[in-house]
Amino acid sequence: MDLNGFKKAVGKSVVKNVIVGSCIFLFGVFIAWLVISGADSEMEDMGIGGYIVICALAGMCLFFGFFITFQHIRNHLKVKNGDHPIVKAIESGDKGHIIWMYEYVTQVQGGGSDHQIWTFDREGKKFTLSLKAKRVQEVLQYLKEQFPNAVLGYSEEIRENMSQSLGKKM
C-alpha cells in the first residue's frame, strides 16, 4: 500500500457513514413534515407533551443526521486533498506524529459491525478512520510503516501509559 492506496481505502469507507447519516436526517425531515403538514390525522388528538416529544425527536434526527454526514464528507475531502493531519505527516515524513493506533470494532446486536482505526497524535488528539473490515489490517500495517515508533494495539496498560505520558485521560 502507498499513500494513494491509503487515501482510497479511507475514501471508500465514507459511503456507508454518509448513507447512515442521510437516512437519519431524512427520517427527521419525515417526522417534521408529518407535524408541520398535518398529514397524520392522529396528531390533532395529541397533547402538548406529545408534540414536544415528536419535535424533539425530529430535531435530534435532523441535527445528528446532518452532523454525521457533514463530518464524514469533510474528513473524506481532507484526506483526498491532503489536508488531513495524518496525510500531511506522511507527506512531510514526520515519523513521530502518530504515537498510538489500534482497531476499534463496534458490534451491533443482531449482526453487523463497524471497523475503525483510532489513532492518536503526540498532543493526544484522536483521529478516527472508518474502514471496511477487510482493509483494517492493511491500513494498520501501512500506518505502522509510516510511523514506526507508534504503539500498535490496545490494552488498559497501554491506555494508562499513554494517559500518563500525555498528561490527559485517554
Side-chain angles (χ1 to χ4, degrees):
M1 174 175 279
D2 60 358
L3 182 58
N4 287 330
F6 172 74
K7 288 179 179 181
K8 189 179 285 189
V10 173
K12 285 184 178 181
S13 68
V14 169
V15 174
K16 177 179 73 170
N17 294 315
V18 169
I19 290 171
V20 169
S22 298
C23 287
I24 292 170
F25 182 80
L26 290 174
F27 183 66
V29 169
F30 177 70
I31 293 171
W33 173 77
L34 281 177
V35 171
I36 293 170
S37 71
D40 187 1
S41 61
E42 293 179 11
M43 291 291 239
E44 296 171 4
D45 299 332
M46 188 181 303
I48 190 73
Y51 276 117
I52 291 172
V53 170
I54 293 292
C55 290
L57 177 63
M60 287 188 315
C61 288
L62 290 169
F63 175 76
F64 287 114
F66 177 78
F67 180 74
I68 290 168
T69 304
F70 175 77
Q71 181 182 24
H72 284 91
I73 289 174
R74 185 188 68 194
N75 285 340
H76 170 69
L77 292 175
K78 281 184 174 183
V79 169
K80 186 176 181 178
N81 296 331
D83 291 334
H84 194 277
I86 295 175
V87 174
K88 283 183 178 180
I90 292 170
E91 290 176 337
S92 69
D94 184 1
K95 302 282 186 192
H97 182 73
I98 299 297
I99 61 167
W100 182 28
M101 61 185 135
Y102 60 91
E103 179 181 6
Y104 183 81
V105 180
T106 305
Q107 297 288 339
V108 179
Q109 189 174 8
S113 60
D114 187 30
H115 295 264
Q116 300 174 338
I117 295 176
W118 284 13
T119 61
F120 296 87
D121 69 8
R122 63 175 70 95
E123 281 88 39
K125 187 172 180 184
K126 179 175 79 171
F127 300 99
T128 304
L129 305 172
S130 295
L131 300 166
K132 292 183 179 183
K134 63 183 180 180
R135 302 299 305 256
V136 169
Q137 292 307 315
E138 182 181 9
V139 171
L140 273 174
Q141 180 62 35
Y142 174 72
L143 289 174
K144 186 63 178 167
E145 291 169 6
Q146 298 303 310
F147 306 102
N149 297 327
V151 176
L152 179 60
Y154 180 87
S155 71
E156 281 300 313
E157 183 180 332
I158 294 172
R159 187 191 60 76
E160 289 174 16
N161 289 339
M162 289 295 165
S163 294
Q164 288 176 357
S165 67
L166 293 170
K168 64 194 248 184
K169 188 173 181 171
M170 304 291 282

